[in-house]
Amino acid sequence: MTVTRSRRKGLDTGTATHARRQDTNLPEQSRFNIPRLVLLSLDAVAISMAWVVALLSPFDWEFTNRSWTAVALSVALTWALLGMFDLYKSRVSSVRSAELAAISRVAGIVLASTLFIDLLVTGELHLGTDLVAGGALFVFLIVARSTFDGWIRNARSQGRYTRPVVIVGGGEGGKDLFDMLADHIEAGFRVKGVVATQNDRVLAGDWLGAPVDVLAAMETVGANGAFVVVDELSPADRTFVVEQLASVGHHVHLTMGIAGIASQRVTLAPVV
């Protein structure tokens, strides 16, 4: 869960009706998680290429005599570590520094483990080959993730593979955030509506319900993420909403709104 404090000044906003109309013009979302499949495929290619480079390196010309059991175990460990370090979750894969740190840990652990597996299975070390495998794995995974990042950004700029979200907070801050996300679909979010109290409904045309009904409202529109404008909710409502969203595994982003800072200084963080 990420907490962001930002304010905005002079950011042009449209009406809620305009935002809703833009949402209806976006492409239909696939029933399958295509980005996840693409990322898995790229990682599979990266892992395969790392071992091809390692086994064809001059450090181990007799690779045909090598134990393929050790290679298979190392590959299986790599897949397990990619999942263990959350490299298939948006809070890691969409933040470059976090992704690089996780990939470096995966490559380091795979290298050390492969040396141990070699010694255990074959009774000898293939130090040169294993060092090349670890280094190549790090490089190829970075290339794969960079390729995926470019692809997903281009797809999202066309309105594809976006995350359906709601805005919790119907005041001016919620309205500004609503309009900005609707106008910048390349950020990867598709705004489905607003959850707010009866007395705080600037976006009345897109109102989905009160904070106490946040889960029901999100289920109605098929949203799985929420931007919670914390200064537009009472402490009790804020605590209730965050606890409810976290209890079912929805993606949550806490924000203070975007009023008071120039639009060119606004940077969107991923919903995690």
Side-chain angles (χ1 to χ4, degrees), residues 3-21:
V3 179
T4 301
R5 292 176 178 267
S6 59
R7 294 281 178 180
R8 179 190 72 160
K9 180 179 180 181
L11 180 62
D12 294 333
T13 59
T15 63
T17 302
H18 166 70
R20 177 70 74 184
R21 183 168 59 251

Side-chain angles (χ1 to χ4, degrees), residues 14-203:
T15 63
T17 302
H18 166 70
R20 177 70 74 184
R21 183 168 59 251
Q22 186 181 33
D23 180 70
T24 59
N25 291 332
L26 294 175
E28 290 296 324
Q29 300 297 295
S30 171
R31 294 175 55 188
F32 303 99
N33 193 333
I34 302 300
R36 174 68 64 85
L37 294 176
V38 171
L39 186 55
L40 287 168
S41 299
L42 288 172
D43 282 348
V45 172
I47 295 170
S48 300
M49 290 299 298
W51 275 105
V52 168
V53 169
L55 294 175
L56 293 178
S57 70
F59 296 103
D60 191 1
W61 289 110
E62 297 180 355
F63 67 90
T64 53
N65 297 323
R66 183 185 179 90
S67 171
W68 291 104
T69 299
V71 175
L73 289 174
S74 297
V75 170
L77 176 64
T78 303
W79 282 112
L81 290 171
L82 289 173
M84 184 183 303
F85 286 107
D86 294 334
L87 278 160
Y88 296 109
K89 294 185 178 180
S90 60
R91 66 169 175 266
V92 174
S93 62
S94 59
V95 180
R96 190 60 171 171
S97 59
E99 186 177 53
L100 288 174
I103 289 175
S104 64
R105 288 194 291 269
V106 168
I109 294 174
V110 168
L111 171 59
S113 300
T114 301
L115 289 170
F116 175 76
I117 293 172
D118 261 345
L119 188 61
L120 184 66
V121 174
T122 66
E124 59 184 39
L125 290 176
H126 297 80
L127 183 60
T129 305
D130 293 342
L131 286 173
V132 172
L137 179 65
F138 177 74
V139 172
F140 282 119
L141 282 176
I142 289 177
V143 172
R145 294 303 175 114
S146 298
T147 301
F148 175 80
D149 185 60
W151 173 80
I152 195 65
R153 287 179 182 273
N154 179 66
R156 283 176 172 171
S157 69
Q158 302 171 28
R160 297 157 56 203
Y161 312 128
T162 54
R163 183 187 300 283
V165 299
V166 299
I167 305 295
V168 183
E172 291 294 339
K175 178 181 183 299
D176 288 345
L177 183 59
F178 186 106
D179 290 333
M180 187 181 72
L181 292 177
D183 290 339
H184 296 278
I185 193 62
E186 69 276 6
F189 308 116
R190 180 183 297 216
V191 183
K192 307 297 289 186
V194 175
V195 175
T197 62
Q198 291 285 344
N199 298 325
D200 190 17
R201 289 172 53 185
V202 173
L203 293 166

Side-chain angles (χ1 to χ4, degrees), residues 235-262:
D237 282 345
R238 180 167 61 246
T239 301
F240 176 82
V241 167
V242 172
E243 289 179 348
Q244 288 293 299
L245 295 175
S247 69
V248 296
H250 283 326
H251 300 263
V252 183
H253 184 91
L254 303 183
T255 176
M256 293 294 291
I258 53 174
I261 283 187

